[in-house]
Amino acid sequence: MVGLRAGTRRACGLAAGMIGLLSFAGCGGGGGVTAATHAKSTASGTTTHAVATTPPAPPPPPPPPFARLTSSALATGTTGFVPVATWRGHTAASMARTAAGVALLSFDQRRVALHLHSGTIDAGASGWRFGPSVAGAEGRHLLAAFNGGFRLSVGAGGFSSYGHVAAPLRPGLGSVVTYADGHTDVGSWNGEVPKPGQRVVSVRQNLPLLIDNGAAASNLGCLSCWGATLGGVVDPARSALGVTANGRLVWAGGEHLTVSALADALLGAGVVRAVELDINPAWVAGYLYGHRGGHGPLAPVPLVPGQSGISGEYLAPWSRDFFTVVTR
């Protein structure tokens, strides 16, 4: 079990404000209601009363296709993972916070799927299935989003999506692989992934695996092995994505983390394979999303206390690649 700490006041307030945010159709102006009218028949000398009835109000719209958010994990210090989003009566995502300052978000892949997005620079604004911002129908299914990997120009890994390659895939590198059936795995390219006989739709590589076979890499003490940090600090903002033995995806992020602290948090969450994603404050950020009726995403809820944040919070074009998590 992973020890938790209470969420920040800001996160608590945002999350609490997103519970049950469904909009309903409003009534129109006076034209929708009529009074009783009276018509006199001069031929018969009788009076008839015609009553115009107000038509029944339309039923409220069905819940839009999004997962409901709860505030429990953001507002309490309960030990272990606590549900933060439900979808069709089932928990789709759970969250925990460790004493070391790591935010952990765990996803049930039976309820959700992962999308790899390009950015305007990495990997380019056009020609991709999922581009530099959340758009269209994806927004109605949006549950979460978080940062991708290092800049492609540093040569730390590859990027491929639906047959389009921005950076070549390299054997042995840690890879986030999504298959055509919608499930995602994490593993070493040409090792644990790709699975034989399964069609790959996207791959994001970033360095060798941080965790493999349920054990952390042997070189965690090598600072330069895990990316250049601003000012050479050992504990910049860091993030990672891993998978558990039963197929849950786990994103982890924090503002001041050593590589060891990041790996320890993932291992504590039951992760058996993981890849480090981006590092440094400007690039590490994750969000949950609330919705209002059928009008798309509401205010995003930041996952990492004190995170610098992403301009536009992935709802406006962003320069770097990122991942979204959507309901199935």
Side-chain angles (χ1 to χ4, degrees):
M1 300 298 284
V2 181
L4 299 183
R5 69 177 185 181
T8 62
R9 293 180 179 174
R10 174 172 175 245
C12 294
L14 283 171
M18 290 183 182
I19 304 172
L21 292 175
L22 295 180
S23 62
F24 298 91
C27 295
V33 179
T34 60
T37 59
H38 302 270
K40 179 177 289 186
S41 174
T42 56
S44 63
T46 61
T47 301
T48 61
H49 299 275
V51 179
T53 60
T54 301
F66 64 83
R68 284 185 178 275
L69 301 185
T70 72
S71 62
S72 52
L74 296 173
T76 73
T78 308
T79 301
F81 278 93
V82 179
V84 288
T86 59
W87 172 237
R88 293 178 174 170
H90 299 277
T91 298
S94 299
M95 189 172 181
R97 297 190 191 280
T98 74
V102 184
L104 293 155
L105 197 59
S106 176
F107 301 100
D108 183 346
Q109 293 203 73
R110 296 171 298 178
R111 321 294 174 201
V112 302
L114 188 78
H115 293 166
L116 173 62
H117 280 252
S118 70
T120 57
I121 297 175
D122 282 349
S126 61
W128 301 98
R129 175 70 63 91
F130 300 106
S133 64
V134 174
E138 187 184 29
R140 295 191 294 274
H141 290 261
L142 184 63
L143 169 60
F146 47 83
N147 58 275
F150 292 174
R151 288 187 182 277
L152 297 177
S153 60
V154 305
F159 185 109
S160 173
S161 177
Y162 290 86
H164 188 185
V165 177
L169 304 178
R170 293 161 50 190
L173 290 186
S175 305
V176 178
V177 179
T178 298
Y179 298 100
D181 65 2
H183 87 277
T184 297
D185 200 1
V186 177
S188 180
W189 189 251
N190 289 346
E192 297 98 341
V193 293
K195 297 293 186 185
Q198 296 197 38
R199 185 168 69 89
V200 172
V201 294
S202 69
V203 183
R204 182 57 161 110
Q205 297 181 319
N206 205 61
L207 304 176
L209 288 175
L210 175 65
I211 295 173
D212 195 9
N213 294 315
S218 60
N219 62 341
L220 296 187
C222 171
L223 182 61
S224 63
C225 295
W226 300 100
T229 66
L230 294 178
V233 299
V234 299
D235 60 345
R238 294 186 187 274
S239 61
L241 184 67
V243 66
T244 64
N246 63 356
R248 293 186 70 90
L249 287 178
V250 180
W251 179 82
E255 280 297 290
H256 300 284
L257 299 178
T258 63
V259 183
S260 295
L262 182 62
D264 287 346
L266 290 163
L267 290 170
V271 167
V272 293
R273 294 182 300 278
V275 59
E276 184 185 50
L277 297 177
D278 218 345
I279 64 174
N280 292 316
W283 314 119
V284 174
Y287 300 94
L288 284 167
Y289 297 87
H291 296 243
R292 186 187 298 276
H295 302 295
L298 192 66
V301 179
L303 299 177
V304 179
Q307 69 182 23
S308 296
I310 300 299
S311 176
E313 297 162 316
Y314 302 122
L315 304 178
W318 176 238
S319 62
R320 306 287 295 280
D321 63 278
F322 62 96
F323 293 98
T324 56
V325 179
V326 298
T327 53
R328 287 179 180 271

